[in-house]
Amino acid sequence: MVLLREVGGTRYLPIWIGAGEASAIANAQEGIVPPRPLTHDLLVDTLKSLGHKLTEVHITELDGGTFYAVLLVDGIQVSARPSDAIALALRVGSEIYCAEDVLDEAGIEVPEEEEDEVEKFREFLDQVNPDDFVTGEEPQQ
């Protein structure tokens, strides 16, 4: 899960993502540079080599539980999954924006006094593994 925090506000936007995308985002946050470029690194290198720049990322809509985003490259919008857009934005240091109606619909209000709880949840998410939830038992029907 990616948990985006509203700048100057108290809302958070939780977005469920896949393990590969989570790894790509975590690597960017930690400044890990692979010996050979992975997909997001390759796209960043390609844009740079062609003289283009990713200036902004926008999470634009939520439809049927699916978030949508766009990359703003030299003023041109390119459709992207939010997880990929975030991974790219972190690599180049571009801004991440979210449409107000998306925040209104999916944002979670967290008062300042509960910030510590959110931080503990983030730490938990950093450590959790999908295998932690496997019980070995079949679900009952």
Side-chain angles (χ1 to χ4, degrees):
M1 175 190 289
V2 168
L3 195 58
L4 300 176
R5 184 174 55 89
E6 179 181 32
V7 175
T10 58
R11 293 182 292 183
Y12 286 79
L13 183 67
I15 302 175
W16 285 101
I17 62 173
E21 292 80 6
S23 179
I25 289 169
N27 286 344
Q29 287 177 314
E30 295 171 17
I32 296 173
V33 178
R36 297 189 65 208
L38 299 176
T39 305
H40 298 99
D41 306 300
L42 177 62
L43 184 54
V44 168
D45 291 348
T46 301
L47 288 171
K48 185 176 179 180
S49 295
L50 295 172
H52 298 289
K53 184 177 180 184
L54 172 63
T55 54
E56 296 175 2
V57 162
H58 294 258
I59 302 189
T60 57
E61 68 180 288
L62 175 60
D63 184 19
T66 301
F67 289 91
Y68 293 84
V70 295
L71 309 173
L72 199 61
V73 178
D74 297 337
I76 298 170
Q77 291 187 1
V78 179
S79 180
R81 297 183 307 174
S83 55
D84 291 327
I86 293 165
L88 290 167
L90 290 172
R91 281 169 171 73
V92 301
S94 66
E95 298 287 329
I96 301 171
Y97 297 97
C98 183
E100 190 68 29
D101 59 330
V102 172
L103 270 174
D104 289 343
E105 182 176 346
I108 299 169
E109 188 86 22
V110 179
E112 281 188 41
E113 59 271 8
E114 294 179 20
E115 287 283 329
D116 288 340
E117 292 301 314
V118 171
E119 188 56 39
K120 288 178 189 175
F121 184 60
R122 276 191 183 166
E123 290 172 11
F124 166 75
L125 289 175
D126 286 342
Q127 304 302 318
V128 74
N129 180 321
D131 294 334
D132 294 338
F133 297 99
V134 175
T135 64
E137 299 174 9
E138 293 294 319
Q140 297 195 7
Q141 299 188 20

